Amino acid sequence: MAGHEAYSLVLVASRLPVDRTENSAGEASWRPSPGGLVTALEPVMRSSGGVWIGWSGDAGPAPGAFKADGLHLVGLGLSADQIRDYYEGFCNATLWPLYHDVIAPPRFHRRWWDSYVAVNRRFAEEADRQAGPGATVWVHDYQLQLVPRLLRERRGDVRIGYFTHIPFPGYEIFAQLPWRRRIVEGLLGADLLGFQRRSDAANFLRACRRAAGLVTRGATVRVLTSGPGEGGYRLRVPAERAAQPGGAAQPGGAAQPEGARLPAGMREIRAAAFPISIDSAELGQIVQRAEVRARAKEIRQVLGQPDLILLGVDRLDYTKGILHRLRAYGELLSEGRLGSRVVLVQVASPTRERVEAYRALRDEVELTVSRINGLYGELGYPPVHYLHQSYPREEMAALYLAADVMLVTPLRDGMNLVAKEYVACRDDESGALVLSEFAGAADELSGAFLVNPHDIEGLKDAIVRAATISPAEARRRMRAMRRRVRDHDVAHWAASFQDMLARDAPNRDTQDPEAGLPAGIDVG
Ligand code: GDG
């Protein structure tokens, strides 16, 4: 072990939770960066005093260890080549589209893969350096799927958890990846693998069987290790069980009843669903503030006191279904089904602007918005207010308060925190949520109007129903959703994951036959 620091909790994520900014005098400072992962994890890190390892977000030199906003941070650097090949290439143009059901065609390049391996190794080395003896290391997301194994090879003493924020695809899609087996083996260095939905965990277990020829039992999978030795644990996924193309794995000697003593040299890994959430209490406090409520009123006024305000809030990403939403809205306007005093506010935050598919999407969205405004607008009344900007949290909360109907229509989404944020803000139990069944949030938010966003007629009908709901029905639906979001907030998510990671520890003491195997978070 080459540990130089001794943190007991090490969080490893692709990005730091802060962005570097420079003022006009060229002085640098760090400010919190928006985004799903940061929103979810910042409260966890703040309360635990751990260290957060991540990339600083630009091609500059590595910032190293520093403190910002009360958080211990270690910033790693990426070279311009790594940004191109690892980040924009393998992460954003291979894995992202592949894991979101190939909505855009994934691109496979060996040079990108090599860069992915090198960057993952760099993150694993840093995690090794920061982790104290017996530390918990919590790795996040698809950019770092090899880190669990690379770290495990260095350290037998640490507990490794991995959580993926995006979907894990069905095997027929995952199988396209030329390096599918390496990814599965990379993840299996962890003790606990967390996914958003049960179906994601099931897809991963299937990939273990099909891509690596492993035997799974319930939610667990076992692998052989040779450790602990000089270089820590070394994984040995039995080569003789490697899947043949199209062939199912043969059952082998690895299977044992759950909870039984693990044979020497064997590790057990568990895959379970831990649906992520938001800090609902904090958001509840923000919307109590007089200035936020006043701003919500002002927003309605600025929009011309329409009868109906629809809202979309997304990163400008092709997974979010913005074009499907616009098409449905445009048709509803043309058919006059929403009345004449309706407005759609679409916040589309800038994201991944150097990736070609995102530039093309932006062009198409902006063309579509212009068409709708050109066709159905009047002087002083554009039916779509399109905002390609990022806003402070208070402004977002005021928008959620002002909106009568929230449109969350992704074609595929790990969870979608926006849906939960809208619910958390509606403290008078009014408002309605139109939610894609392809978002993880659909498993929990039973009071939403669930839609298949590919079905434009169905989407239109759901929007009309949500817009014309009676106050009593709105209350009934919203109350159920608010209860769920309040009781299952981000603290609950983090605690459930960390508890299971700490408790579910047959790998740490293989002599304990009583080692419990608790279930994951109850979904829905
Ligand atoms: C990934 C998964 C999963 C957006 N614009 C602004 C802003 N935001 C905030 C929202 C929300 C977050 O960003 C976006 O979260 P999502 O869940 O919608 O999506 P991803 O960024 O794709 O995140 C996703 C998530 O990870 C967590 O696991 O749910 O499925 O894809 O919190 O409010 N916040 C501010 N200004 C903006 O302009 N302040």
Side-chain angles (χ1 to χ4, degrees):
M1 183 203 322
H4 302 306
E5 304 292 335
Y7 286 101
S8 57
L9 176 63
V10 178
L11 193 142
V12 191
S14 140
R15 293 289 293 269
L16 287 175
V18 289
D19 287 326
R20 193 170 184 275
T21 53
E22 262 182 29
N23 64 16
S24 49
E27 292 158 350
S29 62
W30 298 92
R31 61 145 204 242
S33 51
L37 184 61
V38 175
T39 316
L41 287 171
E42 210 191 279
V44 180
M45 290 309 284
R46 225 173 260 296
S47 59
S48 69
V51 67
W52 181 314
I53 299 171
W55 171 43
S56 59
D58 56 37
F66 64 104
K67 230 179 145 179
D69 216 12
L71 299 171
H72 297 277
L73 307 171
V74 175
L76 301 184
L78 293 185
S79 67
D81 283 357
Q82 287 174 328
I83 293 177
R84 186 193 60 213
D85 295 341
Y86 155 80
Y87 177 67
E88 290 163 2
F90 202 75
C91 292
N92 289 344
T94 306
L95 291 175
W96 181 268
L98 187 77
Y99 281 30
H100 287 90
D101 286 358
V102 300
I103 295 165
R107 296 168 57 203
F108 304 115
H109 292 297
R110 285 162 283 185
R111 199 183 64 221
W112 292 0
W113 164 255
D114 292 342
S115 186
Y116 186 76
V117 175
V119 172
N120 272 250
R121 181 161 287 125
R122 176 74 193 87
F123 274 79
E125 286 164 4
E126 193 59 44
D128 176 21
R129 189 167 301 134
Q130 299 297 330
T136 296
V137 180
W138 194 2
V139 183
H140 285 265
D141 229 358
Y142 66 102
Q143 298 94 345
L144 300 173
Q145 293 173 102
L146 306 180
V147 168
R149 177 178 184 166
L150 293 169
L151 177 59
R152 176 64 67 211
E153 287 177 355
R154 297 171 152 259
R155 298 283 291 268
D157 64 309
V158 293
R159 292 288 290 166
I160 304 176
Y162 168 90
F163 182 79
T164 185
H165 293 254
I166 68 172
F168 197 90
Y171 189 67
E172 285 66 23
I173 289 176
F174 182 69
Q176 290 181 19
L177 190 65
W179 307 278
R180 60 196 185 191
R181 185 180 163 113
R182 300 276 301 276
I183 294 285
V184 168
E185 291 173 2
L187 291 169
L188 289 174
D191 298 288
L192 175 62
L193 296 164
F195 298 86
Q196 302 276 27
R197 306 178 93 162
R198 285 188 177 158
S199 52
D200 297 319
N203 285 344
F204 170 74
L205 289 165
R206 183 143 182 261
C208 289
R209 297 192 292 272
R210 299 290 301 275
L214 289 165
V215 175
T216 62
R217 191 175 180 88
T220 62
V221 54
R222 292 177 174 187
V223 295
L224 297 171
T225 73
S226 63
E230 211 174 296
Y233 281 80
R234 194 154 279 279
L235 291 187
R236 279 192 298 117
V237 173
E240 66 273 17
R241 294 207 206 95
Q244 300 304 312
Q250 295 303 307
Q256 293 251 326
E258 280 196 13
R261 177 183 301 193
L262 284 174
M266 191 164 273
R267 293 179 54 255
E268 184 168 76
I269 295 105
R270 167 165 288 256
F274 296 86
I276 201 169
S277 193
I278 55 165
D279 189 344
S280 33
E282 189 214 19
L283 214 42
Q285 280 162 10
I286 292 178
V287 293
Q288 288 291 320
R289 287 196 219 148
E291 70 272 18
V292 174
R293 298 200 99 84
R295 175 64 187 150
K297 283 212 178 80
E298 191 181 47
I299 288 170
R300 282 202 92 96
Q301 232 160 34
V302 170
L303 294 174
Q305 297 288 9
D307 295 335
L308 177 64
I309 299 179
L310 311 175
L311 175 64
V313 172
D314 312 83
R315 284 187 303 100
L316 185 41
D317 194 297
Y318 50 79
T319 59
K320 301 291 183 183
I322 300 171
L323 285 169
H324 294 66
R325 190 182 310 164
L326 287 172
R327 171 178 293 187
Y329 181 60
E331 289 187 17
L332 286 171
L333 290 177
S334 125
E335 294 159 11
R337 288 175 70 192
L338 291 173
S340 58
R341 297 178 45 76
V342 52
V343 164
L344 167 64
V345 177
Q346 176 63 56
V347 176
S349 330
T351 185
R352 302 178 190 174
E353 293 180 300
R354 289 160 50 126
V355 178
E356 177 48 34
Y358 288 74
R359 283 202 292 257
L361 173 74
R362 181 176 172 189
D363 286 348
E364 210 179 333
V365 166
E366 293 181 355
L367 185 72
T368 310
V369 168
S370 307
R371 281 216 177 110
I372 294 174
N373 282 339
L375 277 171
Y376 308 110
E378 291 169 20
L379 280 180
Y381 165 67
V384 185
H385 288 250
Y386 166 76
L387 304 159
H388 186 242
Q389 299 166 47
S390 287
Y391 294 93
R393 280 177 74 66
E394 290 71 15
E395 180 72 0
M396 305 300 287
L399 280 166
Y400 290 139
L401 272 183
D404 303 301
V405 176
M406 184 80 216
L407 302 178
V408 178
T409 59
L411 307 179
R412 178 59 79 190
D413 214 334
M415 176 53 60
N416 197 293
L417 297 179
V418 167
K420 293 188 172 181
E421 288 167 356
Y422 178 69
V423 167
C425 286
R426 308 300 301 191
D427 52 7
D428 66 354
E429 297 178 342
S430 69
L433 172 65
V434 174
L435 178 61
S436 165
E437 62 191 67
F438 303 121
D443 285 352
E444 296 177 87
L445 301 181
S446 50
F449 291 87
L450 291 185
V451 291
N452 167 6
H454 298 281
D455 170 12
I456 300 296
E457 284 307 319
L459 179 53
K460 285 159 60 183
D461 290 346
I463 294 173
V464 171
R465 274 191 286 129
T468 52
I469 189 175
S470 75
E473 191 188 348
R475 244 194 326 276
R476 186 179 58 74
R477 288 170 173 267
M478 191 55 80
R479 192 172 293 162
M481 293 193 288
R482 283 179 61 77
R483 199 176 308 123
R484 175 77 200 183
V485 170
R486 188 195 60 214
D487 295 345
H488 293 77
D489 65 357
V490 69
H492 174 86
W493 165 78
S496 311
F497 186 91
Q498 289 177 310
D499 282 357
M500 190 182 282
L501 182 58
R503 262 187 305 147
D504 192 11
N507 303 328
R508 182 173 279 169
D509 178 7
T510 57
Q511 301 311 304
D512 177 14
E514 304 298 323
L517 295 170
I521 294 183
D522 189 28
V523 179

